């Protein structure tokens, strides 16, 4: 993303705008899912909104730009309010991931369409050899699809407080849940591990996921 600012400022602007929008939709997915299951905590705290200021985390957004993964402000939930605790926990936890994965597929298909309309312009733009309007749009959509895919894959990791840990929690015995909820207070340790010891393995997983995804969609 930072390199893109120097080579294709317009594509960077499109991709960054889409990044902000993707983070907002991710958290909004959690908030609406929680509200649908009977928990109005997010609604009372003003999180049922498209306003980026209500959702973005400055450090998480900066890390997305610099190292390829990051986060937004977690949506506050109170699972005891769910009409169905186990199902509610699963759906609310996976909602943001589904939103990002859906956006990644949609945007990748747009890239494929733009390539079909102007293959030479798209290829030249991706190679940094000039290009066309279709090429710039395709590059912006490609980067945004990649960001959404990374958000989905990163949040699937079963590491508290990421969504994957709560998806796993929803499938585990209820007697384990009090202990698992207490792990949330050590989120700072999880992020420290993600940025140090786990950084390279996570980046390898995300890189493989991205490669497999675009190979499947774009060929």
């Amino acid at each position: 993303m930072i390199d893109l600012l120097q080579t294709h400022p317009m594509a960077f602007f499109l991709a960054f705008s889409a990044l902000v929008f993707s983070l907002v939709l991710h958290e909004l997915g959690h908030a609406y899912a929680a509200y649908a299951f009977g928990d109005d905590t997010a609604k009372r705290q003003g999180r049922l909104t498209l306003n980026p200021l209500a959702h973005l985390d400055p450090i998480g957004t900066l890390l997305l730009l610099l190292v390829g993964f990051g986060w937004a402000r977690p949506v506050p939930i109170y699972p005891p309010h769910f009409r169905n605790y186990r199902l509610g926990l699963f759906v609310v936890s996976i909602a943001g991931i589904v939103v990002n994965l859906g956006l990644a597929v949609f945007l990748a298909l747009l890239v494929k369409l733009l390539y079909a309309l102007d293959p030479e312009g798209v290829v030249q733009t991706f190679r940094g050899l000039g290009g066309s309007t279709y090429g710039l749009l395709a590059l912006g959509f490609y980067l945004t699809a990649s960001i959404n895919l990374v958000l989905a894959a990163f949040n699937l990791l079963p590491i508290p407080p990421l969504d994957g840990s709560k998806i796993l929690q929803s499938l585990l015995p209820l007697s384990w849940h009090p202990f698992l909820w207490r792990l949330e207070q050590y989120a700072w340790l999880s992020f420290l591990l993600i940025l140090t010891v786990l950084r390279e393995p996570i980046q390898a997983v995300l890189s493989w996921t991205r490669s497999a995804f675009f190979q499947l969609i774009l060929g």
Side-chain angles (χ1 to χ4, degrees), residues 117-219:
L117 294 172
D118 183 15
E120 184 177 349
V122 170
V123 169
Q124 287 182 345
T125 303
F126 273 65
R127 290 178 176 174
L129 302 175
S132 64
T133 300
Y134 282 166
L136 287 173
L137 286 173
L139 182 58
F141 289 151
Y142 175 85
L143 290 170
T144 309
S146 180
I147 288 168
N148 275 278
L149 185 66
V150 165
L151 283 171
F154 178 69
N155 276 285
L156 268 175
L157 296 174
I159 303 172
L162 298 180
D163 298 333
S165 67
K166 296 184 181 66
I167 294 171
L168 178 62
Q169 181 178 336
S170 71
L171 305 174
L172 293 175
L174 293 177
S175 59
W176 295 18
H177 286 212
F179 169 73
L180 295 172
W181 283 118
R182 284 197 294 272
L183 289 179
E184 296 288 312
Q185 62 185 307
Y186 300 106
W188 63 270
L189 179 58
S190 295
F191 288 129
L192 180 62
L193 290 173
I194 288 171
L195 294 174
T196 55
V197 177
L198 299 177
R199 178 178 173 178
E200 288 189 9
I202 288 175
Q203 285 185 324
V205 170
L206 295 180
S207 178
W208 178 88
T209 302
R210 191 161 39 210
S211 176
F213 174 82
F214 285 114
Q215 180 65 32
L216 177 64
I217 301 292
L218 302 179

Side-chain angles (χ1 to χ4, degrees), residues 35-66:
Y35 187 64
F37 272 86
D39 177 26
D40 66 346
T41 305
K43 183 177 185 296
R44 287 187 285 104
Q45 295 193 19
R47 300 298 297 274
L48 287 181
T49 176
L50 285 171
N51 182 0
L53 297 179
H55 300 287
L56 294 183
D57 178 276
I59 295 176
T61 305
L62 181 63
L63 287 174
L64 258 174
L65 291 172
L66 296 178

Side-chain angles (χ1 to χ4, degrees), residues 17-89:
S17 300
L19 162 63
V20 171
F21 191 58
S22 300
L23 287 170
V24 168
L25 288 180
H26 178 98
E27 297 304 327
L28 197 58
H30 290 311
Y32 270 109
Y35 187 64
F37 272 86
D39 177 26
D40 66 346
T41 305
K43 183 177 185 296
R44 287 187 285 104
Q45 295 193 19
R47 300 298 297 274
L48 287 181
T49 176
L50 285 171
N51 182 0
L53 297 179
H55 300 287
L56 294 183
D57 178 276
I59 295 176
T61 305
L62 181 63
L63 287 174
L64 258 174
L65 291 172
L66 296 178
V67 301
F69 57 83
W71 54 85
R73 286 175 53 211
V75 165
I77 62 172
Y78 187 63
H81 283 170
F82 294 157
R83 284 188 289 272
N84 183 319
Y85 170 78
R86 190 185 290 274
L87 180 61
L89 183 59

Side-chain angles (χ1 to χ4, degrees), residues 93-141:
S93 300
I94 205 170
I97 293 171
V98 170
V99 168
N100 289 132
L101 186 57
L103 283 171
V105 172
F106 174 70
L107 291 165
L109 291 174
L110 285 181
V111 173
K112 192 169 186 176
L113 173 62
L114 290 168
Y115 176 78
L117 294 172
D118 183 15
E120 184 177 349
V122 170
V123 169
Q124 287 182 345
T125 303
F126 273 65
R127 290 178 176 174
L129 302 175
S132 64
T133 300
Y134 282 166
L136 287 173
L137 286 173
L139 182 58
F141 289 151

